[in-house]
């Protein structure tokens, strides 16, 4: 016996937020519950068996802390809510939604969207050295930058150092036009994008001039001791083992370092071993180091990215 329930939102903004980008959120809810979900203005119509409808209603309610703020619900958040419901972790889901990392310049809240992301954020807040691996779009660099900028704004550290190896599809810095900053900017663009979420772009040059924010290629870390700093090493799969050892041993007193990368997308020439892959193996048992591994289930970009990652994983099996 089938039935129907109408779930009413207070505004069109809330309804659109629950539907998600191109209604991907309610499409995924429908797929996972078996209920038919149709958004009509500010009303979400749910039809199916009583069990299907009740499950859909519980899931929509569990996501209220997101859509009630007008923030778009992602597919990852839908899947996390389903996992929480199926494993009796609904209280943990509430904590996940309530743990705000930062607020953007536009007033939007930044927080972890999955349980694995939240575990990663907790490691970023408590461990002096964190390794995070995972496919594109899982928030490895973005979340690290958000936690780092908040720490700098709260004066927990004197400076933020963002670095990555300048290795991209065989290109060389020497062949790029301009001075050093112009040469490395294309490689460091993702880090700048994350900074712009929290800091007015007009302020960033001043912060860089004062040494509070430093953005530089990995080679410029050699011979230094990075004290009282929050250090992010991005695209670490493109480091050699020697480079990785070099940067890890730069860590000074009152500092924290985050190493992020995707071990499946190495651009090192001649199939050289990745410093990230080796470091994860060598340091796995070292006390005080945290390791976070994100998966395609943690992808929070365009929903198509998750399907692309899954397709490549299937092809490479």
């Amino acid at each position: 016996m089938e039935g129907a329930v109408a779930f009413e939102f207070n505004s069109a903004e809330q309804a659109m937020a629950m539907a998600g980008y191109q209604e991907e959120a309610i499409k995924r809810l429908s797929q996972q519950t078996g209920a038919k979900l149709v958004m009509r203005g500010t009303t979400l119509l749910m039809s199916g068996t009583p069990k299907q409808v009740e499950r859909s209603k519980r899931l929509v309610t569990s996501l209220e802390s997101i859509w009630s703020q007008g923030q778009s619900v992602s597919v990852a958040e839908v899947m996390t809510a389903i996992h929480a419901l199926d494993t009796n972790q609904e209280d943990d889901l509430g904590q996940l939604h309530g743990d705000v990392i930062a607020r953007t310049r536009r007033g939007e809240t930044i927080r972890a969207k999955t349980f694995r992301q939240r575990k990663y954020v907790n490691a970023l807040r408590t461990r002096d050295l964190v390794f995070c691996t995972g496919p594109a779009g899982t928030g490895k660099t973005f979340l690290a930058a958000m936690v780092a900028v908040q720490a700098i704004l709260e004066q927990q550290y004197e400076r933020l150092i963002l670095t990555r190896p300048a290795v991209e599809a065989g290109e060389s810095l020497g062949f790029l036009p301009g001075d050093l900053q112009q040469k490395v900017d294309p490689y460091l663009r993702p880090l700048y994008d994350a900074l712009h979420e929290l800091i007015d772009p007009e302020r960033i040059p001043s912060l860089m001039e004062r040494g509070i924010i430093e953005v530089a290629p990995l080679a410029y870390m050699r011979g230094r001791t990075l004290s009282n700093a929050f250090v992010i090493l991005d695209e670490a799969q493109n480091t050699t083992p020697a480079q990785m050892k070099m940067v890890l041993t730069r860590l000074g007193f009152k500092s924290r370092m985050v190493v992020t990368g995707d071990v499946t997308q190495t651009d090192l020439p001649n199939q050289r071993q990745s410093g990230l892959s080796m470091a994860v193996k060598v340091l796995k048992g070292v006390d005080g180091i945290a390791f976070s591994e994100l998966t395609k289930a943690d992808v929070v970009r365009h929903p198509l990215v998750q399907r692309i990652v899954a397709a490549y994983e299937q092809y490479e099996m």
Side-chain angles (χ1 to χ4, degrees):
M1 180 179 176
E2 292 201 353
V5 167
F7 192 102
E8 294 290 342
F9 296 91
N10 292 329
S11 66
E13 182 186 27
Q14 289 186 353
M16 290 174 62
M18 179 60 240
Y21 178 76
Q22 294 184 346
E23 297 198 344
E24 287 280 355
I26 61 171
K27 288 177 184 176
R28 182 58 62 93
L29 266 177
S30 180
Q31 292 171 2
Q32 295 295 318
T33 63
K36 182 179 179 181
L37 305 181
V38 180
M39 192 70 77
R40 292 283 183 266
T42 59
T43 303
L44 178 60
L45 301 174
M46 310 176 187
S47 59
T49 66
K51 186 176 181 179
Q52 291 171 338
V53 171
E54 177 58 27
R55 182 172 170 81
S56 298
K57 186 177 178 181
R58 284 185 66 182
L59 288 167
V60 171
T61 301
S62 72
L63 293 163
E64 183 174 0
S65 58
I66 302 172
W67 54 255
S68 64
Q69 303 298 315
Q71 295 197 12
S72 183
V73 175
S74 69
V75 170
E77 286 167 325
V78 169
M79 297 307 295
T80 298
I82 291 170
H83 175 70
L85 183 62
D86 292 342
T87 56
N88 297 314
Q89 295 185 78
E90 289 176 276
D91 289 342
D92 292 335
L93 184 67
Q95 293 175 14
L96 173 69
H97 292 166
D99 185 4
V100 176
I101 301 169
R103 292 189 184 276
T104 69
R105 294 183 295 109
R106 298 179 297 276
E108 299 171 350
T109 56
I110 301 294
R111 50 183 174 68
K113 295 180 182 291
T114 69
F115 288 126
R116 274 185 294 265
Q117 283 189 347
R118 186 171 188 237
K119 185 178 179 182
Y120 173 42
V121 169
N122 287 338
L124 290 170
R125 289 167 167 167
T126 59
R127 299 296 186 93
D128 289 338
L129 179 57
V130 180
F131 286 86
C132 183
T133 58
T138 50
K140 304 181 298 294
T141 305
F142 184 77
L143 291 173
M146 294 300 102
V147 173
V149 172
Q150 277 299 105
I152 295 296
L153 294 176
E154 294 169 6
Q155 298 184 333
Q156 296 177 28
Y157 301 93
E158 290 182 353
R159 54 190 173 145
L160 169 59
I161 299 175
L162 308 168
T163 184
R164 66 188 293 194
V167 177
E168 294 288 339
E171 295 175 1
S172 170
L173 284 178
F175 291 99
L176 295 175
D179 59 20
L180 172 65
Q181 199 63 50
Q182 291 171 323
K183 288 176 185 288
V184 301
D185 274 356
Y187 295 95
L188 301 165
R189 191 73 255 167
L191 299 176
Y192 282 120
D193 290 343
L195 288 179
H196 289 172
E197 288 291 325
L198 297 186
I199 303 175
D200 189 326
E202 294 181 357
R203 286 187 59 202
I204 292 178
S206 173
L207 293 171
M208 294 178 71
E209 287 176 10
R210 291 155 55 195
I212 297 175
I213 295 178
E214 179 181 348
V215 184
L218 186 61
Y220 283 72
M221 300 298 109
R222 189 174 300 278
R224 302 174 59 185
T225 300
L226 308 176
S227 299
N228 210 340
F230 198 119
V231 185
I232 299 176
L233 169 57
D234 189 31
E235 298 290 344
Q237 75 275 5
N238 288 331
T239 61
T240 64
Q243 287 175 323
M244 177 61 75
K245 182 179 178 182
M246 177 274 291
V247 73
L248 292 177
T249 54
R250 301 306 94 201
L251 192 64
F253 289 108
K254 296 182 180 179
S255 288
R256 180 161 294 169
M257 183 178 292
V258 185
V259 179
T260 68
D262 179 358
V263 293
T264 69
Q265 294 197 17
T266 301
D267 293 315
L268 290 171
N270 304 321
Q271 297 184 326
R272 297 177 67 183
Q273 184 176 18
S274 166
L276 177 59
S277 297
M278 176 180 279
V280 169
K281 294 176 184 176
V282 171
L283 303 175
K284 199 67 176 180
V286 176
D287 187 43
I289 302 177
F291 295 87
S292 295
E293 185 175 352
L294 303 178
T295 72
K296 62 178 181 291
D298 300 294
V299 171
V300 292
R301 288 182 184 167
H302 190 293
L304 189 57
V305 174
Q306 194 173 79
R307 297 197 288 271
I308 290 171
V309 171
Y312 269 96
E313 286 182 356
Q314 184 66 30
Y315 177 78
E316 292 165 359
M317 286 178 62

